[in-house]
Amino acid sequence: MPSVKFKQFRQSRHSNVPTNARPATLRLITAVIMAGVLVSIGAGAWWYWKTGISGPAARGIATPDTPLDDLLGRNHRAQLQQALAQRRYGGRTWNWEDYVQWGRELVHEGRVKQPPVGPTPSVPIADTYRCLHCHNLVREDVVLTHQDPVARESLLEHNPALAGKKTGVHLTTGTTFWGLVNRERFYNGYYARYHRLKVREGNSFRPMNPESLADAIQVCCSYCSAGRFPEDWELDSILAYLWTLELRLRDLGLPADQQRQLLEQLNSGNAELQAAARKELRKHYLVASAAHAVEPPLRSEDEHGGLIPGPMAVKDIYPPSVAELEQWFAARRTNPESPSAQANKPGPQNSTPRTNLTVFGDPKRGEWLYQSACALCHGNEVHPKAGRSLAASSSAFHRYVWKGTQRDGLYMPFFTRERLSPQQASDIRAYLRSLPPPKSE
Ligand code: HEC
Ligand code: HEC
């Protein structure tokens, strides 16, 4: 069985124990019932032993620490655990913890020191890129339903206010892996064009299924990382590792009253109340991450223009589409929408006057924003160029930031509005312009 599709495991867990009590003596009926009860207890114990999961929501012991996957009654993690327990790699089965460890190594280093099959160490997924060049592993949005890189600044480890505290949050081009397993649709909005890309299934290829996390991982290993398709054991391992980053009820940060009420409903044993609570839960985190592309500025001015306050300031004039996008984001900041509505919306409508958006860059903010958004890849083994050389020309700067590069092999991914704001980009440009020119300039 080549690739993991959650759908294939849907609802396979509730093994109904047949209790066909035929008309017979009372003793026989009692015996059959007793046997049924014993089998049920046995199956439950097996289930618990096999997966370490007791189905808390179903059994009325949901707590703030219960994973959403259990609260929603989906049990996708348990199904994957069950499936992996059957898989054989290198002629034997492995523990869940082995998969998690390999997955961690793949995400962090791109290869595994002691893989279950193949060469030791394993062949890197990509030559240069690792998942962490483009994805965080921790919470990156203060309000989970509002993906906003400006609000994200309060969590950036380069933020001077945090004085060197390790938060693990960067302004990456891809969304965080934290809670990724809880999403239901992948490559949304602007990225929907990737749904045409092919993924591997056994020895053949087919278009990706936008609802399959395994397919999204395949796409990112091969296309985004400029690497290759993962082997089956690699895909299984990355999925297992991602399940260690799943959301729990308390992560939603609900008001205490609402959390208590939801827990009561989930623990009530009443199917209707549970369904209502589950519906409510899904409104409080991202079931699909959004992506809006930003059009680069119509023109930019630097300090030479003399029009700009301060010696190092820069000015970027964005087209009306960006002004509307900014208004739309500002409106959502005060009134967050349901995440599924967000992901499926085309974005701002052309209803407002078509005015340009003028942004002045602040070099002081730009310094730590640069450390967060660019330094992961610039000035190191990914790309040697760094500092002022990146802002030598304002049009090249904006082209790379908002459009990236499209070519085979090592390329630069672009930033969507969910990952960088026009103000942040101008601040970075102002900082880079404020540095002494490189010798070659
Ligand atoms: C060079 C940058 C880059 C690298 C390296 C990279 N990704 Fe991504 N990834 C992206 C971008 C950009 C997206 C676009 C969607 C988003 O997350 O906003 C994305 C999306 C994804 C998605 C779909 C997320 C969603 O909610 O739609 C998954 C899953 C994913 N990546 C997994 C991985 C894994 C696993 C690795 C490492 C093997 C990896 N990525 C490496 C840039 C990258
Ligand atoms: C995920 C890695 C990654 C991130 C993050 C990244 N870049 Fe890049 N960047 C690259 C790569 C790789 C290239 C070379 C692309 C190519 O040649 O196609 C590049 C090229 C560039 C260039 C052209 C350099 C030249 O050759 O003159 C500019 C300008 C640039 N990046 C700016 C930025 C800025 C500004 C940021 C942050 C807002 C940023 N990059 C973030 C990977 C990255």
Side-chain angles (χ1 to χ4, degrees), residues 129 133-134 373-374 377-378 382-383 385 390 397 400-401 405 407 410-413 415 420 428:
Y129 278 142
H133 283 122
C134 303
C374 319
C377 297
H378 284 285
V382 176
H383 196 267
K385 276 200 181 171
L390 297 182
F397 173 92
Y400 277 91
V401 170
T405 54
R407 61 187 188 92
L410 198 67
Y411 74 111
M412 173 164 157
F415 288 82
L420 199 72
I428 292 173

Side-chain angles (χ1 to χ4, degrees), residues 101-122:
Q101 174 57 28
W102 299 328
R104 183 180 292 115
E105 289 178 48
L106 289 167
V107 165
H108 287 253
E109 345 292 339
R111 69 185 335 175
V112 169
K113 277 188 227 88
Q114 298 286 331
V117 279
T120 303
S122 67

Side-chain angles (χ1 to χ4, degrees), residues 69-381:
D69 182 55
D70 297 343
L71 295 180
L72 294 172
R74 297 200 172 143
N75 304 304
H76 286 156
R77 180 196 349 90
Q79 288 156 20
L80 179 66
Q81 286 178 323
Q82 240 188 330
L84 293 194
Q86 314 293 321
R87 295 258 214 291
R88 299 181 74 82
Y89 291 118
R92 52 162 287 198
T93 58
W94 301 84
N95 295 326
W96 175 252
E97 289 71 28
D98 295 319
Y99 286 102
V100 169
Q101 174 57 28
W102 299 328
R104 183 180 292 115
E105 289 178 48
L106 289 167
V107 165
H108 287 253
E109 345 292 339
R111 69 185 335 175
V112 169
K113 277 188 227 88
Q114 298 286 331
V117 279
T120 303
S122 67
V123 180
I125 288 182
D127 287 342
T128 308
Y129 278 142
R130 305 288 167 255
C131 310
L132 299 189
H133 283 122
C134 303
H135 294 278
N136 290 309
L137 293 176
V138 293
R139 179 190 201 112
E140 61 182 16
D141 289 307
V142 181
V143 177
L144 291 186
T145 49
H146 190 45
Q147 293 178 281
D148 184 356
V150 179
R152 200 165 298 146
E153 286 181 8
S154 69
L155 302 173
L156 297 188
E157 73 192 37
H158 304 291
N159 186 335
L162 295 179
K165 274 195 197 127
K166 275 261 168 230
T167 65
V169 179
H170 297 272
L171 291 171
T172 53
T173 49
T175 40
T176 181
F177 283 172
W178 186 76
L180 180 55
V181 291
N182 299 100
R183 286 177 224 154
E184 299 170 14
R185 206 180 156 79
F186 306 94
Y187 294 107
N188 307 294
Y190 188 84
Y191 288 112
R193 62 199 63 199
Y194 290 7
H195 295 163
R196 274 184 277 127
L197 295 175
K198 295 272 199 302
V199 297
R200 189 175 68 85
E201 175 143 351
N203 294 323
S204 58
F205 292 88
R206 57 165 173 80
M208 81 163 285
N209 168 5
E211 288 171 17
S212 160
L213 174 57
D215 283 9
I217 293 171
Q218 285 211 45
V219 164
C220 229
C221 286
S222 53
Y223 305 97
C224 307
S225 305
R228 57 170 170 81
F229 285 108
E231 302 290 327
D232 293 343
W233 69 269
E234 290 176 318
L235 190 54
D236 288 342
S237 304
I238 293 174
L239 280 168
Y241 175 60
L242 291 175
W243 273 104
T244 66
L245 308 175
E246 69 180 317
L247 300 183
R248 290 159 196 276
L249 178 58
R250 70 170 135 73
D251 295 326
L252 306 188
L254 299 172
D257 280 354
Q258 192 184 14
Q259 179 167 298
R260 200 176 320 116
Q261 198 204 334
L262 284 172
L263 281 173
E264 271 168 30
Q265 288 178 300
L266 291 163
N267 288 330
S268 67
N270 174 322
E272 236 168 89
L273 287 177
Q274 283 177 341
R278 286 169 179 168
K279 200 169 157 207
E280 184 61 29
L281 282 177
R282 288 179 70 258
K283 293 185 190 159
H284 297 277
Y285 64 96
L286 277 187
V287 293
S289 142
H292 290 92
V294 175
E295 260 186 89
L298 299 166
R299 58 178 207 281
S300 301
E301 290 166 15
D302 293 348
E303 63 269 32
H304 316 295
L307 296 164
I308 299 158
M312 298 304 179
V314 303
K315 180 174 168 181
D316 291 314
I317 300 145
Y318 286 85
S321 71
V322 179
E324 284 156 25
L325 195 57
E326 286 314 288
Q327 280 180 8
W328 190 60
F329 260 80
R332 290 193 319 161
R333 200 167 300 147
T334 46
N335 185 16
E337 293 175 321
S338 89
S340 45
Q342 260 180 53
N344 297 322
K345 248 209 176 106
Q349 308 299 319
N350 292 340
S351 55
T352 39
R354 296 185 59 78
T355 47
N356 293 336
L357 175 75
T358 302
V359 181
F360 293 95
D362 174 350
K364 276 207 218 71
R365 282 169 38 82
E367 179 168 8
W368 55 275
L369 291 171
Y370 170 79
Q371 291 303 326
S372 251
C374 319
L376 287 172
C377 297
H378 284 285
N380 58 29
E381 71 285 358

